[in-house]
Amino acid sequence: MLNKLGFGTWGVGGASGKYGSYGATDDSVSKSALLHAYRNGIKFFDTAPPYGHAEDLLGNIFDEKNFPDIKILTKVGVNLWSDEVNFTSSFITESLHTSLVHLKRKSVFAVILHSLKYELKKGSVREGFSTLLELKREGLVEHIGFSVKSPSEIPRLFELYPEIDIIEANYHLLDVRVHDTKILNSLKRNKSIFIARTPLCFGFLTNKISKESVFDELDHRSRWKQNRQNQINYWIDGRIKLEEIFKRFGYNQPIQELALSFCLQNPLVDYVIPGMMNTDEVNGCLKSIEIESFPKELFLEIELFSHKFNESIKI
């Protein structure tokens, strides 16, 4: 499963505006984490222009000449979190060329339209995807697709844009909407690369956060503390109940390792992209690979729990 474990670089990119990241970082710590991940077999890195200076970090560490085996996915549509979404051809083309300069590469593994949200019905999405097709024909990118706001958008996207060959969506123990029959059939039928985003639920599927946790003012979760305390409480309560389920089946590893293993064991998932801020967190993610395959009964119980859980909140 090591070939499925990726590295989400939002966190290591450092502060990117109020509520735009997980706060300030130490570049030496971030670089150590990235190199440690690579040396232990992680070759897929997910990044984007608004992730602080994540693209520069990747470019300074993994230049194309010395690290040809690295796979990098970046995004287009938003350069700063404070900006409006922009899927025009000129914006996307300029954005990708700028990313390639930062990444010190002539091409990248994948480019996806970022922050799709509720833009699906707008004409600019069509223009944006057409531009990605052209950039692919030019050899600047190997795979193109979308980062979706909700997994429910996936079937419709494949209908509108059959050339999609990569999709990124939320998927974790507390959000198994991808298991919906229509979504599953759509993914199987189109055989696109599927990337599980937020596998640790913004850190709430770890043992590092409690209901009393205080987040840095530059950490996007501090906004939730102000406006979505009920959501936070639900996530933490859900994590505790999941830990109880795993223990009944004989699994006593930290919940973050079990959460990642859950995503990695799904045969439809091609890459899982947890955020890792330091070498200790990289090691924790690597331990998820060592967990034995979960029995079918455990998967079914988790799925049932997650569906009931999601009926009570809006994700």
Side-chain angles (χ1 to χ4, degrees):
M1 290 190 291
L2 179 57
N3 63 332
K4 298 173 72 170
L5 183 58
F7 193 125
T9 65
W10 185 17
V12 294
S16 54
K18 190 174 183 180
Y19 305 140
S21 67
Y22 289 89
T25 55
D26 182 330
D27 279 355
S28 63
V29 174
S30 298
K31 290 178 180 178
S32 294
L34 290 163
L35 279 169
H36 187 61
Y38 174 80
R39 290 166 181 160
N40 282 276
I42 295 174
K43 305 294 178 64
F44 182 83
F45 296 85
D46 177 282
T47 192
Y51 292 0
H53 56 284
E55 288 186 333
D56 285 317
L57 278 174
L58 289 173
N60 290 334
I61 299 171
F62 303 124
D63 63 278
E64 191 169 33
K65 180 179 179 181
N66 296 305
F67 296 90
D69 55 340
I70 290 290
K71 294 180 178 180
I72 295 178
L73 177 151
T74 193
K75 307 175 185 75
V76 290
V78 178
N79 286 340
L80 296 171
W81 293 122
S82 57
D83 292 347
E84 291 292 326
V85 175
N86 189 335
F87 292 144
T88 62
S89 179
S90 58
F91 184 87
I92 286 176
T93 301
E94 182 179 355
S95 178
L96 177 56
H97 281 286
T98 300
S99 290
L100 291 174
V101 171
H102 290 308
L103 295 166
K104 297 181 180 177
R105 291 183 171 260
K106 296 178 181 178
S107 63
V108 287
F109 176 73
V111 175
I112 57 180
L113 294 182
H114 200 189
S115 296
L116 189 63
K117 295 183 179 178
Y118 304 106
E119 304 287 324
L120 188 55
K121 296 180 180 179
K122 296 186 178 181
S124 62
V125 176
R126 170 69 64 181
E127 180 180 350
F129 191 75
S130 296
T131 304
L132 291 187
L133 283 170
E134 180 59 32
L135 294 169
K136 182 178 181 179
R137 285 190 286 267
E138 292 175 8
L140 297 179
V141 55
E142 186 176 348
H143 299 283
I144 58 173
F146 292 86
S147 173
V148 299
K149 174 68 174 177
S150 168
S152 62
E153 297 171 343
I154 291 175
R156 179 60 174 158
L157 279 171
F158 280 126
E159 291 177 8
L160 293 171
Y161 308 103
E163 303 93 340
I164 292 172
D165 55 17
I166 193 163
I167 284 281
E168 188 173 295
N170 289 345
Y171 181 59
H172 53 72
L173 286 170
L174 295 171
D175 183 358
V176 297
R177 288 174 290 176
V178 169
H179 291 188
D180 176 84
T181 301
K182 186 176 181 181
I183 298 173
L184 281 176
N185 289 341
S186 180
L187 287 169
K188 290 177 182 178
R189 184 169 56 252
N190 288 277
K191 299 179 180 179
S192 63
I193 296 169
F194 178 67
I195 301 170
R197 186 179 66 214
T198 66
L200 299 178
C201 189
F202 307 105
F204 290 95
L205 282 173
T206 73
N207 52 22
K208 297 181 179 181
I209 298 177
S210 70
K211 294 179 182 179
E212 291 71 41
S213 293
V214 177
F215 301 110
D216 182 275
E217 64 177 358
L218 295 179
D219 188 319
H220 70 102
R221 294 171 297 184
S222 64
R223 176 180 54 190
W224 297 359
K225 199 72 175 179
Q226 298 169 21
N227 303 324
R228 294 171 65 183
Q229 185 62 52
N230 288 339
Q231 175 94 53
I232 290 174
N233 292 344
Y234 271 118
W235 273 334
I236 293 175
D237 289 340
R239 182 195 73 207
I240 293 171
K241 291 176 182 177
L242 283 164
E243 288 174 322
E244 294 171 356
I245 292 173
F246 278 112
K247 286 179 180 178
R248 281 197 284 103
F249 279 84
Y251 294 91
N252 296 298
Q253 294 92 336
I255 187 63
Q256 52 263 41
E257 296 174 21
L258 296 166
L260 276 184
S261 186
F262 171 81
C263 296
L264 290 166
Q265 290 187 39
N266 185 331
L268 274 178
V269 173
D270 294 283
Y271 295 104
V272 184
I273 51 171
M276 298 174 251
M277 303 291 285
N278 52 57
T279 55
D280 286 341
E281 292 187 0
V282 173
N283 289 333
C285 290
L286 290 167
K287 287 181 180 178
S288 66
I289 299 169
E290 302 170 4
I291 297 174
E292 64 184 51
S293 298
F294 298 138
K296 182 179 180 180
E297 294 77 13
L298 175 55
F299 273 111
L300 291 174
E301 185 162 344
I302 289 173
E303 183 171 25
L304 179 62
F305 168 77
S306 183
H307 282 313
K308 289 183 177 179
F309 175 85
N310 289 337
E311 289 175 359
S312 61
I313 64 171
K314 182 180 180 181
I315 298 180

